[in-house]
Amino acid sequence: MKIYVPGDAAAKALGADDVARAVVTEAAARGVEVTVVRNGSRGMIWLEPLVEIVTDQGRMGFGPMLVADVPALFGDAEAHPKALGLVEELPWMKRQTRLTFARVGVIDPLSLAEYELHHGLKGLRRAIAMEPAAIVQEVTDSGLRGRGGAGFPTGIKWKTVHDAQAPQKYIVCNADEGDSATFADRMLMEGDPFTLVEGMAIAGLAVGATKGYIYTRSEYPDAVSQMQKAIEIARAAGVLGASVLGSGRAFDMEVRVGAGAYVCGEETSLLNSLEGKRGVVRAKPPLPALEGFMGRPTVVNNVISLASVPVIMDRGAAFYKHFGMGRSHGTMALQIAGNVRFGGLFETAFGLSLGEIVDDIGGGTASGRPVKAVQVGGPLGAWFPRELFDTPFTYEDFAAKGGLIGHAGLTIADDTVDMLKMARFAMEFCAIESCGKCTPCRIGAVRGVETLDRIGGGDASGIPLLTDLCETMKSGSLCALGGFTPYPVMSALTHFPDDFTATHKEAAE
């Protein structure tokens, strides 16, 4: 028997390690030879631990599994009370367009041989046969934009570094995934680390960089371990090193772990931390693409941006660009969380409406109460009420409605949530996480908390002051922490003004 039990951190938090041990113990007791593979998560967190058994028909799923459910796996599996059927036929899986996450949950994350059997290294091999400028052009033509939040065209950033003249260039992967309701970076690093290795190697060949760094969080020990092991395996196989796949062109990489500052998700703070300095924002210009890590031209891209490059190079720019809507090309890994019935990772082409994502894919709230609002883009994202659920999930459409996609994390809230408290949380979060470099963020967030407390106490005169403060933070902050904090605050105030009135507070009490 071949049985897959996820080694993903979310699955482990729900008991996957105990289930895996129980499978081995039960098989030994029955004298059954079994191979247990610790794969990545399929993204259906409500079914974790999701155990899969290889059959002649395909991989049968069982979940959410408990240790007590394991013995029945060795009997009539189809009659198992937790049997789900073929995993690939489950509605959650069938509705997706898995490009970047095509291998996650499917293969053994640390088997380079399995990786190659599933289109792995095809993009890198094609890139080796191309001129650097042609690789950059391919990425540009695909329409790929930064998946970390800013949505900046990846090809333009690469071209800037490619054209820069310097004795040393770098590729830096921003894996400092600090937004609430986001876990795509972690899931990919744990479930398919070679994709990131390949994407960074292609980026290095494209711009002339020979060294890469993955900067990630100390809160991601499993992801750190997986990436370090994958890099060692890739280096031993000649995928990394002095001659990438025998091409004569060098590229190597390593993992660096940050100390837990949210602001280090901002690229210049990240670079300061990577250099061993305090993680504070740098003023721009100069841009990191010209003077980045150690003052050298540096590509700084998010995990999902870099992990999308192999499929672009393998299948071609036109194939990737075909997916999406308007100027938002390709796919996006939606991370659905909060008070939601079906939470997890769902990769799909841009263009679904917010309502489809929340109601059809997410299944509404876990509490069964009406959805009041959805925060899109992490703790700095705007709150969208049901009246805006017809908004297509694209960069342009969200920007037009006063929102942002960010890293595509969605936090769903039901009608019991107090939006004034959510606005206060945004300001408090900013005050705590501010690096202190600029006054609008450092002082503005503190004043924001104070002002919201006044409003919560019934002083409506604080509302104009709050609005003015948000405008100052938005236009005067050095980075997105202070600049985007007004999004959740002002969207809460705009769409849910009753939550900011004394009458509402008295009724709630």
Side-chain angles (χ1 to χ4, degrees):
M1 294 179 69
K2 190 171 187 178
I3 301 180
Y4 290 81
V5 183
D8 178 90
K12 290 168 72 172
L14 293 166
D17 284 347
D18 292 337
V19 170
R21 282 191 289 268
V23 167
V24 173
T25 301
E26 186 68 23
R30 292 172 178 259
V32 176
E33 187 176 339
V34 65
T35 300
V36 176
V37 179
R38 304 306 300 273
N39 58 323
S41 172
R42 295 278 193 158
M44 298 175 283
I45 305 302
W46 74 96
L47 292 177
E48 294 291 5
L50 174 63
V51 172
E52 300 177 43
I53 297 179
V54 177
T55 71
D56 293 338
Q57 292 76 37
R59 280 159 64 165
M60 300 287 293
F62 305 82
M65 288 288 288
L66 301 172
V67 169
D69 300 320
V70 170
L73 289 174
F74 293 85
D76 183 359
E78 292 187 10
H80 195 288
K82 298 287 182 73
L84 302 167
L86 295 174
V87 174
E88 295 293 347
E89 295 300 314
L90 296 176
W92 179 274
M93 298 303 298
K94 287 189 75 173
R95 290 189 63 180
Q96 295 187 59
T97 303
R98 286 216 161 187
L99 300 181
T100 306
F101 282 78
R103 288 175 289 265
V104 176
V106 176
I107 66 171
D108 178 343
L110 294 176
S111 171
L112 189 58
E114 277 194 51
Y115 179 72
E116 290 195 68
L117 283 174
H118 291 79
H119 286 258
L121 299 183
K122 284 188 174 182
L124 179 57
R125 287 194 168 95
R126 181 177 172 227
I128 287 171
M130 298 168 65
E131 291 296 320
I135 304 173
V136 172
Q137 191 60 51
E138 189 83 8
V139 173
T140 303
D141 292 344
S142 74
L144 177 66
R145 293 166 68 174
R147 297 294 191 252
F152 188 80
T154 305
I156 293 177
K157 185 180 289 188
W158 285 24
K159 188 177 189 307
T160 304
V161 178
H162 171 274
D163 293 348
Q165 299 299 312
Q168 178 67 57
K169 299 178 184 180
Y170 297 98
I171 307 296
V172 173
C173 174
N174 184 347
D176 192 56
E177 189 175 47
D179 286 349
S180 51
T182 61
F183 40 87
D185 294 355
R186 177 190 61 74
M187 280 185 61
L188 188 124
M189 289 189 289
E190 292 177 4
D192 189 15
F194 291 122
T195 294
L196 183 53
V197 171
E198 183 178 0
M200 291 183 68
I202 293 171
L205 296 179
V207 304
T210 58
K211 183 70 177 180
Y213 295 94
I214 298 172
Y215 182 96
T216 191
R217 303 159 55 75
S218 58
E219 296 91 338
Y220 279 2
D222 291 356
V224 170
S225 175
Q226 288 288 84
M227 286 309 313
Q228 288 175 335
K229 291 174 183 175
I231 289 169
E232 290 172 6
I233 293 167
R235 192 178 290 131
V239 177
L240 297 173
S243 180
V244 173
L245 291 178
S247 65
R249 295 153 77 180
F251 185 79
D252 210 338
M253 56 192 288
E254 61 184 83
V255 178
R256 293 289 179 90
V257 181
Y262 177 79
V263 76
C264 285
E266 192 279 331
E267 62 178 3
T268 62
S269 295
L270 183 158
L271 292 173
N272 272 338
S273 177
L274 193 58
E275 292 176 3
K277 301 171 184 173
R278 184 165 174 253
V280 296
V281 176
R282 299 177 184 176
K284 300 177 188 177
L287 298 171
L290 297 175
E291 293 183 32
F293 182 61
M294 297 299 180
R296 301 300 189 186
T298 305
V299 168
V300 183
N301 279 144
N302 165 260
V303 171
I304 307 304
S305 306
L306 289 162
S308 298
V309 170
V311 71
I312 291 170
M313 295 305 299
D314 174 25
R315 308 290 290 274
F319 168 82
Y320 190 81
K321 192 172 185 176
H322 167 74
F323 297 97
M325 178 178 176
R327 289 171 49 222
S328 299
H329 299 289
T331 60
M332 192 64 162
L334 306 176
Q335 297 133 88
I336 305 170
N339 186 345
V340 65
R341 188 178 174 198
F342 303 127
L345 184 137
F346 190 96
E347 184 179 359
T348 185
F350 286 97
L352 285 180
S353 72
L354 184 57
E356 287 178 283
I357 296 168
V358 174
D359 297 326
D360 298 344
I361 297 169
T365 64
S367 63
R369 299 185 64 89
V371 175
K372 181 173 184 175
V374 180
Q375 187 177 35
V376 182
L380 307 182
W383 287 97
F384 274 52
R386 184 161 285 283
E387 294 76 44
L388 295 179
F389 276 21
D390 61 345
T391 307
F393 203 87
T394 71
Y395 292 107
E396 291 73 34
D397 287 290
F398 265 70
K401 298 290 178 64
L404 51 95
I405 284 178
H407 193 39
L410 294 91
T411 302
I412 297 167
D414 71 12
D415 61 354
T416 64
V417 171
D418 186 331
M419 299 310 292
L420 184 143
K421 290 182 179 178
M422 294 297 98
R424 187 189 188 281
F425 169 77
M427 282 292 189
E428 182 182 35
F429 180 83
C430 181
I432 292 169
E433 296 294 344
S434 175
C435 75
K437 181 76 175 278
C438 66
T439 304
C441 177
R442 182 183 71 249
I443 304 299
V446 175
R447 296 292 171 258
V449 173
E450 294 170 353
T451 305
L452 283 161
D453 284 343
R454 280 174 50 190
I455 296 169
D459 183 1
S461 68
I463 291 178
L465 178 61
L466 179 67
T467 303
D468 183 63
L469 178 63
C470 283
E471 282 300 316
T472 300
M473 292 178 68
K474 196 173 180 180
S475 59
S477 297
L478 272 176
C479 82
L481 178 54
F484 284 0
T485 295
Y487 279 91
V489 176
M490 290 309 300
S491 60
L493 177 60
T494 300
H495 299 304
F496 304 97
D498 290 349
D499 286 17
F500 290 75
T501 63
T503 305
H504 168 78
K505 297 302 161 194
E506 290 167 5
E509 292 170 0

